[in-house]
Amino acid sequence: MGRPRYDTDEALALGALAAHEAGHGVIAVVQGIEVAHCKISATRGYTRHRDVTASHPEISLAILLAGQEAEAYWLTRYAGYWFGSALRAAADASEHDLREVRRLRKHTDLSEGRIRSRTRSLVRRHWGRIDRAGHRLYSRGHLSGSAL
């Protein structure tokens, strides 16, 4: 199966959503966190993984920010955005995640800049895996954690 065609606005939006959820899932897995599944519908997506907020807040923060970072990187590659514009566009879809980042950061001494930089590095390092998972998620609507 090759890469899907993202030739309509709806396909671009769903592809970006799939990359967002694949970003959460892959970054969780590469940090040793068990992921149950990722799912997307026409307008929503979610990734279910083991909660590590209390024991490893830095991992939780990276997982939360990975969706926006992966979506932004996807928008630069497949929709022709500049990265800054893509990051702002992805922030709209990441409203819940960013709210959780602000809530969680209140209980840590970790700066958002430092976590964001680490997350961006993780997303870039594992982009091939995120990209492949995003394409499969786009095509199927559901991926098990073992497929990430």
Side-chain angles (χ1 to χ4, degrees):
M1 176 178 80
R3 181 173 66 83
R5 293 185 53 178
Y6 303 107
D7 53 1
T8 65
D9 289 345
E10 292 81 16
L12 283 170
L14 193 59
L17 176 61
H20 179 108
E21 294 307 325
H24 287 312
V26 169
I27 296 308
V29 168
V30 300
Q31 294 186 105
I33 306 306
E34 181 182 338
V35 174
H37 59 263
C38 298
K39 288 187 178 186
I40 59 169
S41 67
T43 58
R44 296 183 54 123
Y46 66 91
T47 299
R48 254 332 145 234
H49 60 81
R50 183 171 47 88
D51 185 16
V52 294
T53 303
S55 57
H56 298 287
E58 70 283 356
I59 292 176
S60 286
L61 287 164
I63 293 168
L64 286 164
L65 289 173
Q68 180 188 13
E69 291 290 332
E71 181 177 347
Y73 197 56
W74 189 93
L75 288 169
T76 66
R77 298 187 48 106
Y78 297 106
Y81 281 67
W82 292 98
F83 189 74
S85 299
L87 203 56
R88 285 188 295 279
D92 291 341
S94 303
E95 192 174 315
H96 174 264
D97 298 334
L98 296 174
R99 199 170 34 250
E100 284 299 302
V101 166
R102 287 189 295 275
R103 184 189 64 76
L104 182 55
R105 274 205 44 250
K106 289 179 183 176
H107 307 290
T108 72
D109 60 352
L110 303 167
S111 74
E112 184 175 341
R114 185 172 180 175
I115 294 296
R116 189 171 287 281
S117 176
R118 179 175 177 269
T119 303
R120 187 166 294 158
S121 176
L122 281 168
V123 167
R124 297 287 169 101
R125 189 173 330 134
H126 297 284
W127 174 250
R129 188 172 175 179
I130 293 168
D131 194 36
R132 287 187 301 276
H135 295 317
R136 288 193 313 270
L137 184 56
Y138 172 89
S139 297
R140 299 176 189 165
H142 178 274
L143 282 181
S144 68
S146 62
L148 294 170

